[in-house]
Amino acid sequence: GAVVSQHPSRVICKSGTSVKIECRSLDFQATTMFWYRQFPKQSLMLMATSNEGSKATYEQGVEKDKFLINHASLTLSTLTVTSAHPEDSSFYICSARDVGASGGASDTQYFGPGTRLTVL
Amino acid sequence: AQSVSQHNHHVILSEAASLELGCNYSYGGTVNLFWYVQYPGQHLQLLLKYFSGDPLVKGIKGFEAEFIKSKFSFNLRKPSVQWSDTAEYFCAVNPGGGNKLTFGTGTQLKVEL
């Protein structure tokens, strides 16, 4: 099945520093990846859509200058949390959209294991 | 804006009991529907999905879901749960052909021995 990896799985950083999280699709190409944030005991909230070769599309209320997204290849998207603050501490999850060989019918998002960010 | 409702936030069942988790959505057009499961300490995994065709969809691990268009529902069912089914279950929807998934708030299922 389609596998998505994230690195790192956990990161602890000081307030004011930047943190980069990588999301990779391991066995398929993904022109579109997504970044979510999950708060404890809550659902996933979509932050942005990462499009290969073009700018990311951010959801309302998400600061694009704070959460920088780069989708430089068909298998890699990165999320950089700039000038992190304690309120940015959260569980960040990426997904990659597999459109399948014939398109449409296999249009499914596969999720990475998540990255636990703690900002001190 | 479309929304997804999962009315059961916490469900506790004994092993072998039957399970039904509700999911309702608000979007009026064509939709793709998904159920994902998140086992403790693990990432989201796809249980099953509906795009078109037979509204009764069978997924992995004995789960199935029924799409009822008139009720805007996509309830998840399993005839006999196991302790290993303890997990959080998320219903998700996206408009047909669209990119974005909208998730429900999730249902925490605990299966007791």
PDB file of all heavy atoms in Angstrom, chain B residues 7-23:
ATOM      1  N   HIS B   7     -21.607  12.051  15.849  1.00  0.00           N
ATOM      2  CA  HIS B   7     -22.349  12.350  17.068  1.00  0.00           C
ATOM      3  C   HIS B   7     -21.868  11.556  18.265  1.00  0.00           C
ATOM      4  O   HIS B   7     -22.059  11.960  19.410  1.00  0.00           O
ATOM      5  CB  HIS B   7     -23.834  12.116  16.831  1.00  0.00           C
ATOM      6  CG  HIS B   7     -24.363  12.921  15.688  1.00  0.00           C
ATOM      7  ND1 HIS B   7     -24.428  14.285  15.711  1.00  0.00           N
ATOM      8  CD2 HIS B   7     -24.804  12.553  14.460  1.00  0.00           C
ATOM      9  CE1 HIS B   7     -24.904  14.734  14.566  1.00  0.00           C
ATOM     10  NE2 HIS B   7     -25.141  13.700  13.794  1.00  0.00           N
ATOM     11  N   ASN B   8     -21.282  10.388  18.017  1.00  0.00           N
ATOM     12  CA  ASN B   8     -20.782   9.578  19.125  1.00  0.00           C
ATOM     13  C   ASN B   8     -19.331   9.953  19.378  1.00  0.00           C
ATOM     14  O   ASN B   8     -18.481   9.697  18.540  1.00  0.00           O
ATOM     15  CB  ASN B   8     -20.857   8.080  18.798  1.00  0.00           C
ATOM     16  CG  ASN B   8     -22.188   7.700  18.180  1.00  0.00           C
ATOM     17  OD1 ASN B   8     -22.289   7.488  16.963  1.00  0.00           O
ATOM     18  ND2 ASN B   8     -23.200   7.625  19.017  1.00  0.00           N
ATOM     19  N   HIS B   9     -19.056  10.572  20.490  1.00  0.00           N
ATOM     20  CA  HIS B   9     -17.682  10.984  20.772  1.00  0.00           C
ATOM     21  C   HIS B   9     -16.897   9.872  21.464  1.00  0.00           C
ATOM     22  O   HIS B   9     -15.703   9.695  21.233  1.00  0.00           O
ATOM     23  CB  HIS B   9     -17.674  12.244  21.624  1.00  0.00           C
ATOM     24  CG  HIS B   9     -18.321  13.403  20.939  1.00  0.00           C
ATOM     25  ND1 HIS B   9     -17.801  13.972  19.799  1.00  0.00           N
ATOM     26  CD2 HIS B   9     -19.445  14.095  21.212  1.00  0.00           C
ATOM     27  CE1 HIS B   9     -18.584  14.967  19.400  1.00  0.00           C
ATOM     28  NE2 HIS B   9     -19.590  15.055  20.244  1.00  0.00           N
ATOM     29  N   HIS B  10     -17.588   9.161  22.332  1.00  0.00           N
ATOM     30  CA  HIS B  10     -16.968   8.043  23.039  1.00  0.00           C
ATOM     31  C   HIS B  10     -17.939   6.873  23.026  1.00  0.00           C
ATOM     32  O   HIS B  10     -19.113   7.038  23.357  1.00  0.00           O
ATOM     33  CB  HIS B  10     -16.645   8.406  24.486  1.00  0.00           C
ATOM     34  CG  HIS B  10     -15.555   9.419  24.615  1.00  0.00           C
ATOM     35  ND1 HIS B  10     -15.780  10.772  24.615  1.00  0.00           N
ATOM     36  CD2 HIS B  10     -14.203   9.273  24.726  1.00  0.00           C
ATOM     37  CE1 HIS B  10     -14.640  11.410  24.726  1.00  0.00           C
ATOM     38  NE2 HIS B  10     -13.660  10.534  24.798  1.00  0.00           N
ATOM     39  N   VAL B  11     -17.423   5.721  22.663  1.00  0.00           N
ATOM     40  CA  VAL B  11     -18.232   4.505  22.648  1.00  0.00           C
ATOM     41  C   VAL B  11     -17.462   3.407  23.368  1.00  0.00           C
ATOM     42  O   VAL B  11     -16.270   3.212  23.101  1.00  0.00           O
ATOM     43  CB  VAL B  11     -18.557   4.059  21.208  1.00  0.00           C
ATOM     44  CG1 VAL B  11     -19.261   2.717  21.202  1.00  0.00           C
ATOM     45  CG2 VAL B  11     -19.403   5.116  20.497  1.00  0.00           C
ATOM     46  N   ILE B  12     -18.137   2.738  24.271  1.00  0.00           N
ATOM     47  CA  ILE B  12     -17.526   1.609  24.986  1.00  0.00           C
ATOM     48  C   ILE B  12     -18.376   0.370  24.719  1.00  0.00           C
ATOM     49  O   ILE B  12     -19.587   0.389  24.932  1.00  0.00           O
ATOM     50  CB  ILE B  12     -17.443   1.876  26.493  1.00  0.00           C
ATOM     51  CG1 ILE B  12     -16.616   3.135  26.774  1.00  0.00           C
ATOM     52  CG2 ILE B  12     -16.820   0.672  27.207  1.00  0.00           C
ATOM     53  CD1 ILE B  12     -16.594   3.557  28.223  1.00  0.00           C
ATOM     54  N   LEU B  13     -17.705  -0.662  24.215  1.00  0.00           N
ATOM     55  CA  LEU B  13     -18.406  -1.915  23.898  1.00  0.00           C
ATOM     56  C   LEU B  13     -17.650  -3.092  24.480  1.00  0.00           C
ATOM     57  O   LEU B  13     -16.439  -3.021  24.690  1.00  0.00           O
ATOM     58  CB  LEU B  13     -18.516  -2.095  22.379  1.00  0.00           C
ATOM     59  CG  LEU B  13     -19.370  -1.100  21.606  1.00  0.00           C
ATOM     60  CD1 LEU B  13     -19.198  -1.335  20.118  1.00  0.00           C
ATOM     61  CD2 LEU B  13     -20.825  -1.206  22.007  1.00  0.00           C
ATOM     62  N   SER B  14     -18.372  -4.166  24.673  1.00  0.00           N
ATOM     63  CA  SER B  14     -17.744  -5.424  25.047  1.00  0.00           C
ATOM     64  C   SER B  14     -17.381  -6.181  23.776  1.00  0.00           C
ATOM     65  O   SER B  14     -17.996  -5.976  22.721  1.00  0.00           O
ATOM     66  CB  SER B  14     -18.691  -6.269  25.891  1.00  0.00           C
ATOM     67  OG  SER B  14     -19.027  -5.594  27.086  1.00  0.00           O
ATOM     68  N   GLU B  15     -16.374  -7.009  23.878  1.00  0.00           N
ATOM     69  CA  GLU B  15     -15.995  -7.832  22.721  1.00  0.00           C
ATOM     70  C   GLU B  15     -17.190  -8.609  22.215  1.00  0.00           C
ATOM     71  O   GLU B  15     -18.019  -9.078  22.985  1.00  0.00           O
ATOM     72  CB  GLU B  15     -14.878  -8.807  23.111  1.00  0.00           C
ATOM     73  CG  GLU B  15     -13.507  -8.294  22.838  1.00  0.00           C
ATOM     74  CD  GLU B  15     -12.492  -9.417  22.638  1.00  0.00           C
ATOM     75  OE1 GLU B  15     -12.668 -10.480  23.244  1.00  0.00           O
ATOM     76  OE2 GLU B  15     -11.546  -9.206  21.874  1.00  0.00           O
ATOM     77  N   ALA B  16     -17.280  -8.736  20.896  1.00  0.00           N
ATOM     78  CA  ALA B  16     -18.344  -9.447  20.187  1.00  0.00           C
ATOM     79  C   ALA B  16     -19.608  -8.623  20.004  1.00  0.00           C
ATOM     80  O   ALA B  16     -20.529  -9.057  19.302  1.00  0.00           O
ATOM     81  CB  ALA B  16     -18.680 -10.779  20.836  1.00  0.00           C
ATOM     82  N   ALA B  17     -19.659  -7.457  20.622  1.00  0.00           N
ATOM     83  CA  ALA B  17     -20.828  -6.603  20.404  1.00  0.00           C
ATOM     84  C   ALA B  17     -20.771  -6.023  18.999  1.00  0.00           C
ATOM     85  O   ALA B  17     -19.716  -5.947  18.375  1.00  0.00           O
ATOM     86  CB  ALA B  17     -20.845  -5.475  21.437  1.00  0.00           C
ATOM     87  N   SER B  18     -21.922  -5.585  18.513  1.00  0.00           N
ATOM     88  CA  SER B  18     -21.963  -4.963  17.189  1.00  0.00           C
ATOM     89  C   SER B  18     -21.711  -3.464  17.329  1.00  0.00           C
ATOM     90  O   SER B  18     -22.015  -2.850  18.349  1.00  0.00           O
ATOM     91  CB  SER B  18     -23.315  -5.207  16.518  1.00  0.00           C
ATOM     92  OG  SER B  18     -24.343  -4.583  17.270  1.00  0.00           O
ATOM     93  N   LEU B  19     -21.157  -2.912  16.274  1.00  0.00           N
ATOM     94  CA  LEU B  19     -20.754  -1.499  16.291  1.00  0.00           C
ATOM     95  C   LEU B  19     -21.435  -0.750  15.155  1.00  0.00           C
ATOM     96  O   LEU B  19     -21.519  -1.242  14.026  1.00  0.00           O
ATOM     97  CB  LEU B  19     -19.240  -1.389  16.103  1.00  0.00           C
ATOM     98  CG  LEU B  19     -18.672   0.008  15.846  1.00  0.00           C
ATOM     99  CD1 LEU B  19     -18.709   0.836  17.119  1.00  0.00           C
ATOM    100  CD2 LEU B  19     -17.250  -0.081  15.306  1.00  0.00           C
ATOM    101  N   GLU B  20     -21.913   0.435  15.467  1.00  0.00           N
ATOM    102  CA  GLU B  20     -22.326   1.368  14.424  1.00  0.00           C
ATOM    103  C   GLU B  20     -21.946   2.772  14.861  1.00  0.00           C
ATOM    104  O   GLU B  20     -22.376   3.241  15.915  1.00  0.00           O
ATOM    105  CB  GLU B  20     -23.818   1.307  14.120  1.00  0.00           C
ATOM    106  CG  GLU B  20     -24.228   2.279  13.010  1.00  0.00           C
ATOM    107  CD  GLU B  20     -25.547   1.947  12.341  1.00  0.00           C
ATOM    108  OE1 GLU B  20     -26.204   0.975  12.755  1.00  0.00           O
ATOM    109  OE2 GLU B  20     -25.917   2.648  11.378  1.00  0.00           O
ATOM    110  N   LEU B  21     -21.117   3.418  14.056  1.00  0.00           N
ATOM    111  CA  LEU B  21     -20.702   4.795  14.322  1.00  0.00           C
ATOM    112  C   LEU B  21     -21.327   5.704  13.274  1.00  0.00           C
ATOM    113  O   LEU B  21     -21.214   5.452  12.080  1.00  0.00           O
ATOM    114  CB  LEU B  21     -19.185   4.919  14.276  1.00  0.00           C
ATOM    115  CG  LEU B  21     -18.402   4.058  15.260  1.00  0.00           C
ATOM    116  CD1 LEU B  21     -16.902   4.328  15.101  1.00  0.00           C
ATOM    117  CD2 LEU B  21     -18.844   4.313  16.678  1.00  0.00           C
ATOM    118  N   GLY B  22     -21.959   6.770  13.753  1.00  0.00           N
ATOM    119  CA  GLY B  22     -22.657   7.656  12.841  1.00  0.00           C
ATOM    120  C   GLY B  22     -21.760   8.703  12.214  1.00  0.00           C
ATOM    121  O   GLY B  22     -20.797   9.176  12.830  1.00  0.00           O
ATOM    122  N   CYS B  23     -22.064   9.063  10.979  1.00  0.00           N
ATOM    123  CA  CYS B  23     -21.372  10.140  10.275  1.00  0.00           C
ATOM    124  C   CYS B  23     -22.371  10.819   9.360  1.00  0.00           C
ATOM    125  O   CYS B  23     -23.005  10.151   8.525  1.00  0.00           O
ATOM    126  CB  CYS B  23     -20.209   9.593   9.465  1.00  0.00           C
ATOM    127  SG  CYS B  23     -19.425  10.847   8.414  1.00  0.00           S
TER     128      CYS B  23
END
